[in-house]
Amino acid sequence: MRILICDGPRSIGESAAHVLGGALRRRRRPTLGIATGSSPLEIYGAFARGIGIEDLDLSRLRAFALDEYVGIADDHPERYANVVDREVTTKLGLDPANVSVPDGASSDPDAAAERYERQIEDAGGIDAQILGVGTNGHIGFNEPGSPHDSRTRVVSLTAETRAANARFFDDISHVPTHAVTQGVGTIMGARTIVMVAQGEAKAEAVRHIIDGEVSTRWPGSILQRHPDVTIVLDEAAGHLLEFAGQYRTDAGYPA
Ligand code: F6R
């Protein structure tokens, strides 16, 4: 695991974009795994400025989102298909046909989840996966207790996750109760993973993920077993780490 503590959102986005870009450039038809939520927005901003992907032919880029709410209105601005369209497809000028999001509106979401898993396999797997992390350590919407070998499936969201995401909705009662998410095993299949976290609210989860035991209680802790993971943090998210002082990067991104 490589850990970087940066001095602000812009350098977090640029550092992450450099690492991801390095992984994408190695492939002829690269596949990017995208996350929604607030944490990765600076990465998409950095990509839109060309950082990390200067010499990449984006018309060849395939992208897969991590997750989608089940039963959210098609035109809701927080439906992840709409977030991805706004924040990634449009900003980077990707061909919408090359961008996939799990189908949370399907009349058979279990079958839709299985299809999504196969779509990722058929694309040759994910080359570079972006992750945020929940305050409870979730990655994608794999809540505590999610099996390490889980694949894309329908899950229930915990009260903690619904409360954290209530800021994106008028009221907590409008936050969906279920989602389709790539599984922990699906995420671990990505060749390169970059997780970003900002703010004090993430500090405890970050500590368990990096310094704690690998367990299903803190789903992101499984990343310790992945051969190519970079975690990019700000001071507040990283301050509980045992070796926090050693992870600071003042250069903004690794050489
Ligand atoms: C979103 C996702 C979630 C978020 C996490 C952090 O696609 O998979 O795991 O990354 O809930 O969300 P933010 O960044 O909004 O704090």
Side-chain angles (χ1 to χ4, degrees):
M1 253 185 187
R2 182 162 58 146
I3 297 139
L4 304 170
I5 297 186
C6 300
D7 60 6
R10 200 170 164 104
S11 59
I12 291 177
E14 294 186 355
S15 301
H18 270 277
V19 178
L20 292 158
L24 295 172
R25 276 200 303 273
R26 289 200 284 269
R27 313 290 295 189
R28 237 175 45 82
R29 272 225 79 187
T31 309
L32 175 67
I34 49 187
T36 45
S38 52
S39 312
L41 294 178
E42 289 285 345
I43 303 176
Y44 306 131
F47 278 158
R49 297 194 296 280
I51 290 171
I53 55 166
E54 301 86 350
D55 44 1
L56 205 74
D57 175 2
L58 290 181
S59 70
R60 302 187 68 81
L61 184 75
R62 189 87 178 77
F64 287 92
L66 272 174
D67 40 25
E68 175 63 287
Y69 291 119
V70 169
I72 190 167
D74 278 5
D75 59 351
H76 195 292
E78 287 307 318
R79 180 181 173 227
Y80 285 166
N82 297 334
V83 175
V84 164
D85 196 37
R86 210 166 54 227
E87 300 295 342
V88 186
T89 313
T90 305
K91 274 194 184 156
L92 303 190
L94 303 181
D95 178 349
N98 287 338
V99 181
S100 302
V101 179
D103 182 3
S106 168
S107 55
D108 186 348
D110 294 313
E114 273 178 41
R115 266 200 312 278
Y116 197 70
E117 182 78 24
R118 276 200 304 277
Q119 255 183 286
I120 295 173
E121 277 167 27
D122 292 347
I126 305 286
D127 295 311
Q129 177 66 55
I130 300 170
L131 294 179
V133 62
T135 51
N136 61 4
H138 73 209
I139 50 175
F141 275 137
N142 293 284
E143 302 282 38
S146 297
H148 286 159
D149 61 356
S150 51
R151 316 305 303 190
T152 306
R153 69 204 186 289
V154 178
V155 293
S156 327
L157 301 178
T158 60
E160 184 173 345
T161 294
R162 293 185 66 236
N165 287 6
R167 70 192 195 281
F168 297 118
F169 293 82
D170 293 339
D171 182 88
I172 190 163
S173 66
H174 295 151
V175 183
T177 55
H178 290 79
V180 179
T181 183
Q182 286 187 35
V184 178
T186 318
I187 293 170
M188 287 291 282
R191 287 178 263 281
T192 294
I193 296 179
V194 176
M195 191 185 99
V196 286
Q198 297 175 53
E200 172 64 35
K202 303 289 172 73
E204 201 198 348
V206 165
R207 178 172 71 83
H208 283 282
I209 286 170
I210 295 172
D211 289 343
E213 303 270 306
V214 174
S215 75
T216 55
R217 165 63 193 86
W218 296 95
S221 62
I222 190 70
L223 297 176
Q224 292 177 28
R225 300 212 175 127
H226 191 282
D228 184 2
V229 173
T230 302
I231 299 186
V232 191
L233 307 167
D234 66 1
E235 289 278 358
H239 80 101
L240 296 178
L241 294 175
E242 189 176 358
F243 300 112
Q246 294 178 22
Y247 303 136
R248 277 206 52 95
T249 163
D250 296 310
Y253 51 83

